[in-house]
């Protein structure tokens, strides 16, 4: 298939901004020490939603139930987060890439990306709302303006990704620790009896003084939403340096501390929130205000300072600092999650920075809608789906991989994964549906409050069962080359689409484009339709669109699309309305309103609109697929035409070479014939004179002299002919066989120019070669000959006016032990600036009808950047000549390249 170079936006190509979004984190980018990354990851645990959650469940369910829930859920979070942190750190991938290879498949993990993105903007909104409350209390800033300020201040910090976030967390961490520990220390020092008051707190009702099974389950359900925090941790842990014998202990400490170890600090903060909420209520603060962190720490700092101004100032400083530290992480993680989500839906990636702003805007809308007031309800529902996702992943990592059902490594590239893996997707779906039914009371009161536990157990068990039943055959669609993964010192490979270099772990072999392709280009490609996973559709001469149409309009397919999409949208709408009903139904002032009937009528009307919208989307999708299928077919026919023309161009070049060499050989061969004929005649005369006995001494001397001159002339022209034939044979064989072999660059350039002598002799131009004699290349000499020939012929045809003598210079030098710089320069008329972007395009020529085909430089570009794995740039000023600069490896890949005429 024709390769169209993909050019990314400047910030997508700049990894300081992009931070390998959608990609494996390359070794060359993992330059930070393990302790610094661990510090950065733990810096995000400053989020005060932990205190708010601890306070909320304590006030709602009492100390005993909240304390037991905190301990148990913290233990579960540690156990489930451990394998996730290990595999993400070991294979240097983020949460979405891990999910793909851990039982969900390439498209199946799309919904989990949305879950993860939801986690980031929900908690971003909660944290920014907390910060806005602090700004309102201290500065009198209205909440709406506080929401906007709290959101916008995060963007410039997160813009530069982990590079700047590392510095932020490094410099703020000591201050934050002091501000967190100081008030707690003073509380226990000044009022030791506070522990007994805390332990005896019975909740809002004041009656839950002991352990209650239902209250414990409800409190646990809220806490389970925190299980997804591991995603934000691994977004930093993926940059851990390579684990070696020297760094093993540092690697493990950083992974454990910043991975599952986050819950140790997090659980402490939840308990602190529980304590501070009880202190606030005891001091007369309302229950709603007692769970707001600014009020919590205002109460706490009263144990440190007696001056109310200092109390409020330090409480505000702590809240603002905490919120900035966490929201850079929320915004950063959200930008990665949205990038993953939309790259698969739209096959488009405008850059992580765009999704950063998108994530912040959604969080701002949630703040304006008052998310803080619905904290418990939102987290309870969210936790059910989130824990189902995590449970399915953990089942794969802890059970199916050790059993050999799942591959021992994490494969995340689209080219090697099935679109949907029933192990993870099925386990999560079963657990989510069952647990949501339980949460809404359809399975009884006990299962309602324990719906989060049900979700975890069901997801784990279902994923294991499905994995055993399917025997893991939905993990890998086709195997990746074994030598492309996990090499200790991998050499970068060039992507055949974006033409950038990446490590083999981030590359896939693409049969559709017949070359290596990076994971991002593979994800964004919208033409191949995953034919690499269906070998029967691939053939060397036909694209998948010709072997079997990519898209066949059919009524069954259309109905399938409609029903699937309609079901998803209808379920999502139903869940949203159920949540709204639950929130409204809890308002005592509205107890007599028939919300259930109203919601059902709204839902029924919405279904009609949903059906119309989904049908329109289905038809639009069908139309787009049909148009795309026709485009792929058209591109293939164009490829075949280009291939034929390129082959004709190559054969014409070879034919011209044959004709020129034949003409060049004709002269020395004629001289040899004449010399041989003269020798034959003189030999006959000598024989007659010897026979007659009339040979004189002078005649013998003259005959010997003539013989010597003739043989010298014969030998010289024979050597000249042999050199021409050897050069022609070597060049012709190299161009047609394409076998890799070592060769001396200087000698081969001279041989190539010798084969071009028939052309050069008829022109007034001269060619100068400046190449050291010690440059040896292990590669494809025929391709070098093709490049030199095309460049010389291009100069002869385009660079010079008639009868003007010019000079062509070919120079080469080693850049290092692995790379060569080859410079081709003429002093001709140059190339106008407006044509610089067109000269490598196929069929573009300014000499149409005058010998120009428009394929010469196109072939040069494809050979240099494709088969020779190098780079090519052009620099030209009108009137001052043109320079082609090539950077080539001294050793090409061992796999045979495509023919030089192939247009790829």
């Amino acid at each position: 298939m024709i390769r169209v170079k993909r050019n990314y936006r400047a910030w997508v190509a700049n990894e300081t901004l992009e931070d390998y979004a959608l990609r494996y984190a390359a070794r060359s980018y993992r330059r930070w020490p393990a302790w610094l990354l661990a510090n950065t990851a733990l810096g995000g645990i400053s989020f005060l939603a932990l205190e708010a959650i601890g306070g909320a469940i304590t006030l709602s369910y009492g100390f005993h139930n909240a304390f037991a829930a905190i301990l148990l859920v913290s233990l579960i979070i540690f156990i489930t987060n451990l394998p996730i942190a290990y595999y993400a750190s070991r294979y240097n991938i983020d949460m979405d890439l891990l999910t793909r290879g851990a039982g969900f498949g390439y498209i199946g993990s799309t919904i989990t990306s949305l879950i993860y993105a939801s986690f980031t903007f929900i908690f971003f909104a909660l944290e920014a709302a907390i910060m806005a409350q602090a700004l309102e209390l201290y500065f009198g800033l209205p909440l709406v303006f506080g929401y906007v300020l709290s959101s916008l201040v995060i963007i410039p910090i997160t813009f530069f990704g982990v590079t700047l976030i590392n510095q932020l967390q490094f410099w703020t961490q000591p201050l934050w620790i002091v501000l967190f520990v100081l008030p707690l220390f003073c509380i226990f020092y000044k009022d030791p009896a506070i522990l007994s008051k805390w332990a005896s707190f019975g909740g809002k009702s004041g009656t839950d003084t002991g352990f209650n099974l239902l209250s414990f389950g409800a409190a646990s359900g809220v806490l389970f939403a925190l299980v997804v925090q591991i995603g934000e941790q691994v977004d930093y842990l993926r940059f851990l340096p390579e684990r070696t014998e020297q760094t093993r202990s540092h690697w493990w400490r950083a992974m454990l501390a910043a991975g599952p170890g986050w819950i140790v600090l997090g659980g402490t903060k939840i308990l602190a929130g529980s304590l501070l909420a009880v202190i606030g209520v005891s001091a007369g603060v309302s229950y709603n205000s007692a769970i707001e962190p600014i009020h919590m720490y205002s109460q706490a700092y009263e144990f440190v300072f007696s001056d109310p101004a200092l109390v409020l100032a330090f409480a505000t400083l702590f809240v603002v600092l905490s919120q900035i530290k966490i929201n850079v992480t929320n915004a950063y993680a959200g930008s990665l999650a949205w990038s993953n989500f939309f790259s698969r839906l739209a096959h488009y990636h405008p850059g992580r920075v765009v999704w950063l702003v998108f994530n912040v805007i959604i969080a701002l809308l949630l703040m304006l809608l008052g998310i803080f007031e619905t904290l418990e309800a939102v987290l309870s529902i969210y936790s059910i789906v989130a824990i189902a996702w995590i449970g399915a992943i953990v089942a794969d990592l802890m059970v199916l991989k050790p059993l050999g059902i799942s591959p021992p490594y994490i494969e995340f590239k689209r080219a090697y994964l099935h679109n949907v893996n029933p192990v993870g997707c099925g386990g999560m779906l079963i657990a989510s549906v069952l647990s949501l039914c339980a949460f809404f009371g359809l399975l009884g009161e006990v299962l309602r409050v324990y719906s989060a536990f049900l979700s975890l157990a069901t997801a784990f068990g279902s994923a294991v069962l499905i994995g055993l039943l399917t025997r893991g055959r939905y993990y890998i669609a086709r195997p990746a080359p074994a030598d492309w993964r996990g090499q200790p010192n991998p050499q970068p490979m060039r992507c055949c689409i974006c033409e950038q270099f990446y490590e083999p772990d981030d590359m896939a072999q693409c049969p559709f484009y017949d070359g290596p392709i990076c994971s991002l280009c593979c994800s964004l490609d919208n033409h191949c339709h995953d034919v690499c996973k269906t070998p029967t559709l691939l053939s060397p001469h036909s694209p998948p669109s010709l072997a079997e149409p990519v898209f066949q309009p059919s009524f069954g397919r259309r109905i399938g699309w409609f029903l699937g999409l309609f079901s998803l949208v209808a379920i999502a709408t139903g869940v949203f309305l159920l949540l709204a009903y639950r929130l409204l139904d809890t308002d005592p002032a509205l107890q007599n309103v028939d919300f259930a009937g109203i919601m059902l009528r709204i839902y029924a009307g919405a279904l009609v609109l949903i059906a119309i919208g989904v049908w329109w989307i289905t038809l639009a999708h069908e139309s787009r697929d049909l148009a795309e299928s026709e485009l792929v077919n058209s591109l293939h026919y164009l490829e075949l035409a280009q291939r034929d023309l390129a082959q004709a161009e190559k054969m014409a070049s070879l034919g011209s070479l044959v004709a020129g060499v034949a003409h060049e050989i004709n002269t020395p061969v004629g001289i040899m014939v004449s010399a041989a004929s003269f020798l034959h005649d003189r030999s006959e005369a000598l024989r007659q004179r010897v026979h007659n006995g009339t040979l004189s001494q002078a005649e013998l001397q003259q005959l010997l002299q003539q013989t010597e001159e003739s043989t010298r002339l014969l030998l010289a022209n024979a050597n000249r002919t042999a050199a021409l034939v050897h050069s022609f044979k070597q060049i012709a064989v190299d161009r047609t066989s394409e076998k890799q072999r070592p060769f001396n660059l200087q000698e081969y350039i001279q041989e190539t120019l010798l084969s071009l002598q028939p052309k050069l002799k008829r022109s007034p131009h001269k060619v100068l070669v400046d190449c050291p004699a010690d440059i040896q290349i292990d590669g494809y000499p025929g391709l070098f000959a093709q490049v030199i020939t095309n460049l010389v012929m291009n100069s002869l045809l385009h660079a010079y006016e008639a009868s003007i003598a010019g000079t062509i210079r070919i120079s080469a030098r080693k850049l290092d032990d692995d790379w060569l710089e080859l410079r081709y320069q003429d002093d001709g008329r140059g190339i106008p600036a407006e044509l610089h972007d067109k000269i490598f395009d196929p069929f573009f020529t300014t000499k149409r009808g005058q010998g120009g085909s428009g394929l010469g430089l196109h072939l040069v570009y494809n050979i240099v950047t494709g088969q020779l794995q190098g780079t090519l740039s052009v620099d030209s000023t009108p009137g001052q000549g043109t320079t082609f600069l090539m950077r080539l490896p001294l050793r090409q890949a061992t796999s045979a390249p495509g023919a030089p005429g192939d247009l790829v």
Side-chain angles (χ1 to χ4, degrees):
M1 177 53 64
I2 296 175
R3 299 174 186 167
V4 180
K5 182 179 179 180
R6 178 178 285 114
N7 293 306
Y8 294 109
R9 296 176 184 268
W11 52 64
V12 178
N14 183 354
E15 290 301 346
T16 302
L17 306 180
E18 188 66 3
D19 273 352
Y20 288 85
L22 305 172
R23 295 183 184 277
Y24 152 86
R27 291 171 176 83
S28 58
Y29 193 72
R30 289 182 259 136
R31 57 184 181 269
W32 298 285
W35 68 265
L36 181 62
L37 288 167
N39 178 76
T40 301
L42 287 174
I45 311 306
S46 63
F47 62 109
L48 297 179
L50 290 170
E51 281 90 334
I53 291 171
I57 61 174
T58 302
L59 297 185
S60 297
Y61 308 112
F63 169 81
H64 291 91
N65 300 304
F67 185 77
I70 293 169
L71 292 183
L72 179 60
V73 174
S74 295
L75 179 62
I76 293 174
I77 288 176
F78 186 93
I79 294 172
T80 56
N81 285 186
L82 177 58
I84 293 174
Y86 171 77
Y87 277 94
S89 304
R90 169 71 177 80
Y91 292 98
N92 307 104
I93 51 178
D94 64 18
M95 194 64 182
D96 179 78
L97 304 189
L98 176 71
T99 302
R100 294 183 195 178
F104 282 79
Y106 180 72
I107 298 298
S109 63
T110 304
I111 189 64
T112 65
S113 293
L114 185 59
I115 294 172
Y116 183 33
S118 302
F119 174 85
T120 64
F121 65 66
I122 286 173
F123 277 88
F124 185 105
L126 291 173
E127 301 302 327
I130 292 171
M131 181 173 170
Q133 292 166 356
L135 295 175
E136 180 187 39
L137 189 61
Y138 189 78
F139 295 105
L141 185 69
L143 274 179
V144 173
F145 294 104
Y147 293 155
V148 175
L149 179 61
S150 303
S151 301
L152 297 183
V153 73
I154 300 303
I155 293 177
I157 302 174
T158 317
F159 190 87
F160 290 97
V162 71
T163 302
L164 191 54
I165 296 174
N166 272 335
Q167 297 301 312
L168 172 72
Q169 302 291 10
F170 175 77
W171 291 108
T172 58
Q173 198 78 321
L175 175 61
W176 181 86
I177 293 173
V178 171
L179 292 175
F180 173 64
V181 172
L182 179 61
L184 296 178
F185 174 80
C186 291
I187 289 172
F188 292 123
Y189 178 77
K190 293 184 177 181
D191 188 7
I194 194 67
L195 288 176
S196 59
K197 185 184 298 184
W198 179 30
S200 62
F201 185 77
K204 292 179 182 179
S205 64
T207 58
D208 294 330
T209 56
F211 181 80
N212 181 279
L213 198 61
L214 296 181
S215 297
F216 166 77
S220 300
V222 177
L223 292 169
F224 265 120
L226 299 173
V227 73
V228 185
Q229 175 62 29
I230 188 60
E232 295 191 348
Q233 302 306 112
V234 302
D235 283 340
Y236 297 118
L237 289 178
R238 66 193 176 113
F239 293 117
L240 280 178
E242 202 73 8
R243 188 180 63 179
T244 64
E245 289 299 326
Q246 294 76 22
T247 63
R248 179 180 295 273
S249 60
H250 298 288
W251 189 93
W252 274 102
R253 283 197 295 268
M255 188 277 293
L256 289 172
W262 79 266
I263 193 58
V264 177
L265 177 58
T268 303
K269 284 168 58 61
I270 296 172
L271 291 172
S274 171
L275 171 64
L276 296 178
V278 171
I279 292 175
V281 170
S282 301
V285 177
S286 68
Y287 282 95
N288 289 336
S289 297
I291 65 171
E292 295 177 1
I294 182 59
H295 291 291
M296 286 183 175
Y297 282 95
S298 294
Q299 294 289 328
Y301 273 100
E302 288 182 358
F303 288 84
V304 183
F305 305 107
S306 57
D307 185 353
L310 284 178
V311 168
L312 186 57
F314 272 84
T316 302
L317 174 62
F318 178 71
V319 170
V320 170
L321 181 63
S322 298
Q323 303 319 91
I324 292 176
K325 285 169 65 67
I326 178 53
N327 267 355
V328 294
T329 293
N330 283 328
Y332 177 70
S335 67
L336 297 178
W338 286 121
S339 296
N340 279 294
F341 179 72
F342 280 103
S343 68
R344 276 165 289 172
L345 286 186
H347 295 279
Y348 175 63
H349 181 54
R352 184 188 64 82
V353 173
V354 173
W355 300 122
L356 162 66
V357 177
F358 179 76
N359 197 61
V360 171
I361 291 174
I362 291 181
L364 179 59
L365 292 175
L366 287 178
M367 284 184 277
L368 296 174
L369 291 174
I371 188 174
F372 201 81
E373 287 74 17
T374 60
L375 177 64
E376 282 189 54
V378 170
L379 294 184
S380 294
I381 293 179
Y382 178 81
S383 65
I384 290 173
V385 182
I387 197 64
W389 167 33
I390 298 299
I393 292 179
V394 172
D396 174 85
L397 301 179
M398 295 184 68
V399 178
L400 297 179
K401 286 194 182 304
L403 290 178
I405 302 297
S406 170
Y409 57 93
I410 301 294
E411 181 58 76
F412 64 90
K413 295 180 282 292
R414 172 189 179 186
Y416 303 125
L417 290 173
H418 286 285
N419 283 335
V420 176
N421 189 337
V423 174
C425 294
M428 181 180 133
L429 179 62
I430 294 170
S432 297
V433 172
L434 182 64
S435 301
L436 283 173
C437 291
F439 177 80
F440 288 111
L442 301 180
L443 303 180
E445 183 64 18
V446 174
L447 287 180
R448 184 185 71 79
V449 296
Y450 283 92
S451 54
F453 288 97
L454 178 65
S455 180
L456 175 62
T458 305
F460 189 92
S462 299
V464 171
L465 180 60
I466 295 172
L468 293 174
L469 292 175
T470 59
R471 298 183 181 275
R473 62 176 173 268
Y474 294 102
Y475 279 91
I476 302 298
R478 66 183 180 104
D483 57 345
W484 281 26
R485 186 177 59 249
Q487 298 298 316
N489 295 300
Q491 294 299 314
M493 302 175 67
R494 175 188 285 275
C495 172
C496 66
I497 301 300
C498 67
E499 300 180 359
Q500 300 297 317
F501 286 91
Y502 299 100
E503 293 177 9
D505 296 271
D506 198 30
M507 302 291 289
Q509 179 60 38
C510 179
F512 189 75
Y513 290 110
D514 192 24
I517 186 172
C518 71
S519 60
L520 180 57
C521 288
C522 183
S523 294
L524 301 183
D525 189 81
N526 201 26
H527 299 302
C528 70
H529 290 271
D530 294 334
V531 294
C532 60
K533 305 169 191 176
T534 312
T536 56
L537 296 183
L538 293 171
S539 68
H541 306 293
S542 285
S545 55
L546 295 179
E548 180 176 314
V550 170
F551 175 75
Q552 295 179 334
S554 67
F555 184 74
R557 177 189 175 94
R558 190 177 300 143
I559 293 298
W561 265 100
F562 172 77
L563 292 178
L565 187 57
F566 177 79
S567 300
L568 289 175
V569 178
I571 291 172
T573 304
V575 170
F576 176 79
L577 290 176
L578 280 172
L579 177 60
Y581 169 75
R582 181 174 177 81
L583 295 176
L584 292 172
D585 194 45
T586 58
D587 191 340
L590 301 174
Q591 291 294 325
N592 297 325
V593 180
D594 182 17
F595 283 114
I598 295 174
M599 290 296 179
L600 284 175
R601 287 192 290 273
I602 293 175
Y603 187 58
L607 287 179
V608 176
L609 297 178
I610 291 171
I612 295 172
V614 168
W615 184 247
W616 176 79
I617 293 173
T618 301
L619 294 180
H621 178 80
E622 180 179 293
S623 176
R624 188 195 69 180
D625 274 2
L626 185 58
E628 184 184 319
S629 179
E630 293 172 352
L631 174 62
V632 171
N633 277 309
S634 299
L635 287 174
H636 177 64
Y637 286 122
L638 177 60
E639 178 192 9
L640 294 179
Q642 286 189 356
R643 185 176 297 168
D644 291 342
L645 288 171
Q647 189 68 17
E649 173 81 5
K650 187 174 71 170
M651 289 298 102
S653 173
L654 194 58
S656 176
L657 177 63
V658 171
V661 170
H663 175 78
E664 192 71 15
I665 290 176
N666 187 57
T667 300
V669 168
I671 293 173
M672 287 190 293
V673 170
S674 298
S677 177
F678 175 78
L679 285 174
H680 181 269
D681 292 342
R682 297 303 294 163
S683 298
E684 283 294 324
L686 177 61
R687 187 175 62 80
Q688 287 294 332
R689 287 183 178 276
V690 170
H691 180 72
N692 296 331
T694 59
L695 180 66
S696 66
Q697 184 70 24
E699 288 177 329
L700 179 60
Q701 191 68 30
Q702 181 185 15
L703 181 61
L704 290 174
Q705 183 179 355
Q706 290 174 340
T707 302
E708 182 181 357
E709 291 178 356
S710 296
T711 53
R712 180 180 57 80
L713 186 63
L714 189 63
L715 182 61
N717 282 276
N719 286 334
R720 181 183 175 192
T721 302
L724 283 171
V725 170
H726 173 77
S727 174
F728 168 72
K729 177 183 177 183
Q730 186 62 64
I731 299 298
V733 168
D734 282 337
R735 289 194 190 181
T736 54
S737 68
E738 299 307 330
K739 292 182 179 179
Q740 184 175 5
R741 67 177 178 87
F743 63 94
N744 182 278
L745 182 62
Q746 183 195 63
E747 295 177 0
Y748 205 78
I749 292 176
Q750 295 291 359
E751 287 185 357
T752 303
L753 294 176
L754 183 61
S755 70
L756 293 172
Q757 278 302 310
K759 291 285 186 182
L760 294 172
K761 281 180 59 177
R762 295 197 293 269
S763 72
H765 314 304
K766 59 181 178 180
V767 181
L768 304 179
V769 177
D770 177 19
C771 178
D774 62 341
I775 297 182
Q776 292 290 127
I777 296 179
D778 187 1
Y780 304 91
L783 300 181
F784 277 86
Q786 184 79 51
V787 168
I788 298 298
T789 300
N790 284 17
L791 290 175
V792 170
M793 298 306 296
N794 181 73
S795 294
L796 297 181
L797 181 62
H798 295 280
Y800 300 103
E801 300 288 350
S803 73
I804 295 179
T807 301
I808 296 172
R809 290 180 171 84
I810 302 173
S811 60
R813 67 184 181 94
K814 282 186 178 181
L815 297 176
D816 51 40
D817 292 338
D818 299 317
W819 289 90
L820 160 77
E821 181 182 273
L822 184 63
R823 184 185 298 269
Y824 177 93
Q825 185 176 14
D826 66 48
D827 57 357
R829 70 183 72 181
I831 302 172
E834 63 271 16
L835 300 183
H836 283 193
D837 293 336
K838 300 179 181 179
I839 60 173
F840 296 125
D841 292 346
F843 310 117
F844 175 77
T845 179
T846 58
K847 296 286 186 177
R848 185 75 63 194
Q850 304 175 46
S853 66
L855 287 173
L857 290 182
H858 180 60
L859 288 173
V860 169
Y861 180 82
N862 281 321
I863 291 172
V864 171
T865 62
Q867 294 98 326
L868 296 183
Q869 306 159 28
T871 61
L872 173 63
S873 61
V874 61
D875 181 25
S876 182
T877 303
Q880 298 182 22
T882 301
T883 299
F884 292 92
L885 186 63
M886 290 160 276
R887 186 173 180 268
L888 304 165
L890 291 172
R891 178 179 176 80
Q892 268 84 54
T894 55
S895 57
D902 289 349
L903 295 180
V904 291

